[in-house]
Amino acid sequence: MRVLWYPKRWKELKADPSVIYITSNRMRAFNFHDSVSSLSGMQSDLVGVTTHSPKPFAYDAVVFQKVLDRRLAFMLRQSGITTVLDACDALHLPAHLPLTLSALITSNEELAEHFRNQSLGIPVIVVEDAHEANPEFHKVHKAKDRLLVTTYGTPDTAEWSIRAIEPVLKTLPWIDFRCAAGSNAKTDYWKSVKYNDPAIDFHMDRKSAWRRPLSWQNFILSSDIGVVPPAEPRPRSHHKALNYMAYGIPVVCYPSPAHKSLIRHGETGFFASNDHEWRAALETLRDPAVRARMGEKARQEVMEKYSVESMGQKYANVLGSLRRTDMERRSLMQRIVHRISKIASKGLRV
């Protein structure tokens, strides 16, 4: 099966190759392409990386990551090629998608429900984000007077997160809190707080990041506890919690549906939705034995189930199933058209 991926902002890749490593591209296009291309019987190309002048009509399936070229997708769909939009954010999509797309793939059930409520007329399928942790490393928890608690994200989502738990952080003097929101966090809010580490680089291949001291990988691994407060009032992925867990770092999360599908409260992490619950969870995790036990259980559960390889296999299976359905539908339509043509030709002869 031949698969072609159009990552977000693919036209910019010639001028700036690092665009392929922006968070959503890396997680939903680059990583899945990398995994799918290694599977037997699969050929995968990534526009701007493995091909700069793609011929999309030569492929069996074409995946648009986050941004849909509706004209191209319509022509591909009408040509019998399986066309997919991978949307990992709560987008609002136009109607008439059955003529344009075979399906929409998203990263969790909360987002899937958001799209199903739009009555798009196409299947909405979940393929979860994969963790990006280096399997050779995991956190060793030790007794400390002060614990490093971290979170990360884009400037806007990170600001939401910090505002949600800042009152609690200020009452716990044994916490050192750091956030990685990137060097473009330059609003008045970010100028007023000292939490951000602007040197952390999110724009790199996950495999390169394992070896880079200022990567998001090493920022996560330096943490004693990860926190994922509500980022904004719309569905989000669970990938932040997933990466902490894969390194054996206990995480305290806002109880969103995506996190509830990943974490068992009190066993593989904690949920917190108000100041009292945040404070109680963090106080419990002061104990290094609790951090080690919870972190290791979380790591064991997510390391294999949510690896790039296992999620890539799931993505390939979904594309294969969609492709078979499209071919069966096309064959049926051809038989119907052929039958109508025969009936019409008989009528003309009469």
Side-chain angles (χ1 to χ4, degrees):
M1 184 176 179
R2 298 159 296 177
V3 183
L4 180 67
W5 309 78
Y6 279 93
K8 179 184 176 183
R9 292 164 52 184
W10 63 271
K11 293 181 180 179
E12 300 176 34
L13 281 166
K14 281 188 177 181
D16 181 8
S18 72
V19 168
I20 196 61
Y21 299 129
I22 62 174
T23 306
S24 57
N25 268 4
R26 187 189 72 238
M27 297 183 66
R28 301 296 296 182
F30 182 85
N31 286 348
F32 283 135
H33 149 73
D34 188 40
S35 179
V36 167
S37 64
S38 69
L39 298 174
S40 176
M42 300 293 293
Q43 173 192 330
S44 180
D45 281 312
L46 185 60
V47 178
V49 178
T50 65
T51 177
H52 288 280
S53 300
K55 297 179 179 178
F57 293 91
Y59 291 83
D60 301 303
V62 175
V63 181
F64 295 91
Q65 198 276 316
K66 204 168 186 178
V67 178
L68 179 63
D69 184 330
R70 291 187 67 189
R71 181 173 178 273
L72 175 57
F74 175 82
M75 291 189 296
L76 290 166
R77 176 79 166 135
Q78 299 310 306
S79 299
I81 295 168
T82 298
T83 55
V84 171
L85 174 64
D86 186 296
C88 56
D89 280 324
L91 309 176
H92 289 278
L93 299 174
H96 312 300
L97 285 181
L99 298 175
T100 308
L101 293 173
S102 304
L104 184 146
I105 297 177
T106 191
S107 59
N108 61 69
E109 282 295 338
E110 186 179 13
L111 279 168
E113 191 64 22
H114 165 82
F115 289 117
R116 290 172 187 139
N117 288 338
Q118 295 183 43
S119 301
L120 302 175
I122 58 173
V124 178
I125 303 167
V126 174
V127 178
E128 295 88 346
D129 287 331
H131 75 73
E132 299 181 279
N134 182 347
E136 296 180 6
F137 297 100
H138 69 277
K139 185 73 178 182
V140 177
H141 294 280
K142 300 178 181 179
K144 293 182 177 181
D145 292 332
R146 300 182 66 82
L147 298 182
L148 179 60
V149 177
T150 71
T151 192
Y152 67 100
T154 61
D156 57 338
T157 60
E159 181 177 338
W160 270 82
S161 296
I162 295 173
R163 287 182 183 276
I165 63 168
E166 196 169 18
V168 174
L169 297 173
K170 290 180 176 179
T171 66
L172 300 175
W174 48 272
I175 282 180
D176 289 322
F177 179 71
R178 299 296 290 170
C179 173
S183 59
N184 60 338
K186 297 176 181 178
T187 64
D188 289 341
Y189 174 79
W190 288 109
K191 292 176 182 177
S192 70
V193 299
K194 306 297 182 183
Y195 303 128
N196 187 35
D197 191 340
I200 301 302
D201 188 355
F202 291 93
H203 291 195
M204 61 181 72
D205 175 12
R206 64 189 176 91
K207 297 175 183 177
S208 301
W210 296 343
R211 301 185 294 273
R212 301 277 288 280
L214 294 178
S215 70
W216 89 96
Q217 295 267 20
N218 282 297
F219 175 82
I220 294 169
L221 190 54
S222 70
S223 312
D224 296 301
I225 303 170
V227 293
V228 188
E232 50 191 315
R234 60 192 177 105
R236 303 294 299 183
S237 167
H238 60 209
H239 70 88
K240 294 176 189 175
L242 194 60
N243 284 330
Y244 282 112
M245 294 169 73
Y247 272 130
I249 298 167
V251 65
V252 186
C253 291
Y254 182 77
S256 70
H259 291 138
K260 286 182 177 180
S261 71
L262 176 68
I263 293 169
R264 296 197 311 280
H265 178 70
E267 296 184 47
T268 58
F270 285 115
F271 295 129
S273 56
N274 57 51
D275 289 358
H276 172 74
E277 292 173 352
W278 280 103
R279 190 176 294 107
L282 292 169
E283 289 281 6
T284 301
L285 290 170
R286 289 188 73 177
D287 185 340
V290 175
R291 297 199 305 277
R293 181 172 62 252
M294 181 170 286
E296 186 58 30
K297 183 171 290 187
R299 174 182 163 84
Q300 290 175 1
E301 290 197 9
V302 306
M303 185 55 74
E304 292 298 329
K305 182 178 178 181
Y306 293 98
S307 70
V308 172
E309 292 74 21
S310 60
M311 289 296 102
Q313 180 66 69
K314 182 174 181 179
Y315 214 113
N317 292 344
V318 167
L319 292 178
S321 177
L322 290 171
R323 182 62 181 159
R324 287 190 293 273
T325 299
D326 282 345
M327 292 177 68
E328 289 168 1
R329 182 182 294 113
R330 189 169 180 81
S331 176
L332 175 61
M333 291 302 298
Q334 288 173 340
R335 291 198 301 271
I336 292 173
V337 170
H338 179 68
R339 181 64 175 164
I340 292 173
S341 298
K342 286 183 67 176
I343 293 172
S345 65
K346 289 180 179 178
L348 289 174
R349 286 198 296 271
V350 172

